Amino acid sequence: SAVISQKPSRDICQRGTSLTIQCQVDSQVTMMFWYRQQPGQSLTLIATANQGSEATYESGFVIDKFPISRPNLTFSTLTVSNMSPEDSSIYLCSGWGGETQYFGPGTRLLVL
Amino acid sequence: GDSVTQMEGPVTLSEEAFLTINCTYTATGYPSLFWYVQYPGEGLQLLLKATKADDKGSNKGFEATYRKETTSFHLEKGSVQVSDSAVYFCALSRNNNDMRFGAGTRLTVKP
C-alpha cells in the first residue's frame, strides 16, 4: 500500500492570490492525479501529473489556472492560481500502487 | 465514456439494520470496481475492490460482488453501526488509469 500526505491540510486565502499544495507519497507510484471535490459533491479529476513532463488536463481545467509539477515518482505539487471564491473546495492528490488508487487526506481551501 | 451511477442519498438507518447501496456502471472492457468511504472531515479510504467478474470484495463487514451481467457492484452490510456513518463512493478504473466516481451516498446510522 501507499501512504499519501498533503500540505497544507487547510488554508484560507484572499481572492487573486495563489496557493501551492504539496503531495508526498511514501513509495513509488506509477500514476499520480489531482482531484477536486466541491462541497457535498463527488470527485472531479483535474489532471494526471506526469513525471518530468507537462501534466495532462481534463476538459475544463487549464495549465495557467492549475499548474502541476511532478519532479520525481513520489512528489507532486498543484498550484491554484489567481483564486476566486469559486475555487473553494477540497483538493485531493492520489496515486496508483499495485491495483489500487490511494488518496491523500485532502487540502481544504476557502477563498474569501 | 465510462461512468458510474449510484443510489441517491441520503440514507438513514437504525443501528443493526441491513444496508444496501446500489451502484451500476457503464464501461467498455473489464474495469476494476471500487468502494471508497469518506468519514466526516477526512479523505477517501479504500473500503473494498474487485478486479474481475464474480469477484467479491469484502472489508469491515461490507461486501460487494462484481456482476458483469447486470453491470453492478452493490455495497451491502448485514448490521450497520453508528461508526459507519460516512459518504460512500462507488468507482471504476480501466487499466489502472484515472478513476470515475459516482456521486456518493451519504449514510447516517442512528443509535
Side-chain angles (χ1 to χ4, degrees):
Chain A
S1 67
V3 176
I4 300 180
S5 59
Q6 286 183 233
K7 290 194 296 187
S9 58
R10 61 180 66 238
D11 208 341
I12 301 173
C13 300
Q14 298 298 317
R15 70 170 66 214
T17 63
S18 297
L19 176 72
T20 295
I21 302 167
Q22 298 180 5
C23 175
Q24 179 73 55
V25 188
D26 69 341
S27 57
Q28 291 185 354
V29 293
T30 51
M31 310 279 283
M32 291 183 74
F33 304 93
W34 287 96
Y35 290 83
R36 181 172 72 183
Q37 185 181 21
Q38 294 182 304
Q41 297 193 21
S42 187
L43 281 73
T44 301
L45 180 65
I46 297 172
T48 303
N50 300 310
Q51 185 198 357
S53 64
E54 191 173 290
T56 305
Y57 290 85
E58 296 296 302
S59 175
F61 297 95
V62 295
I63 188 171
D64 289 347
K65 176 67 176 177
F66 297 102
I68 289 170
S69 77
R70 189 181 175 191
N72 57 53
L73 286 173
T74 62
F75 185 79
S76 178
T77 66
L78 167 74
T79 299
V80 186
S81 303
N82 188 25
M83 288 184 284
S84 66
E86 292 71 34
D87 294 321
S88 298
S89 191
I90 300 172
Y91 292 86
L92 295 120
C93 171
S94 74
W96 272 104
E99 295 181 325
T100 301
Q101 188 167 164
Y102 297 92
F103 286 83
T107 296
R108 285 157 178 77
L109 172 61
L110 176 63
V111 183
L112 303 177
Chain B
D2 297 347
S3 66
V4 176
T5 302
Q6 258 184 264
M7 167 179 167
E8 290 283 332
V11 174
T12 302
L13 296 173
S14 298
E15 207 164 23
E16 299 184 2
F18 185 86
L19 169 71
T20 299
I21 301 177
N22 290 338
C23 171
T24 57
Y25 68 91
T26 302
T28 55
Y30 298 90
S32 295
L33 302 175
F34 304 80
W35 278 100
Y36 283 86
V37 58
Q38 186 174 36
Y39 297 102
E42 299 185 14
L44 268 72
Q45 299 176 26
L46 177 67
L47 182 59
L48 54 85
K49 67 178 182 183
T51 58
K52 60 183 187 294
D54 300 325
D55 268 2
K56 178 186 283 189
S58 61
N59 185 25
K60 299 181 181 179
F62 291 89
E63 292 183 340
T65 301
Y66 190 141
R67 301 286 189 199
K68 182 72 174 172
E69 64 277 13
T70 55
T71 63
S72 65
F73 193 54
H74 304 322
L75 182 68
E76 297 182 336
K77 186 175 185 181
S79 176
V80 294
Q81 306 300 312
V82 172
S83 57
D84 294 326
S85 298
V87 180
Y88 292 82
F89 292 94
C90 185
L92 71 80
S93 179
R94 286 194 291 121
N95 301 320
N96 286 5
N97 212 322
D98 62 275
M99 279 197 169
R100 303 294 168 178
F101 285 87
T105 303
R106 180 176 299 277
L107 169 67
T108 301
V109 181
K110 297 189 172 181

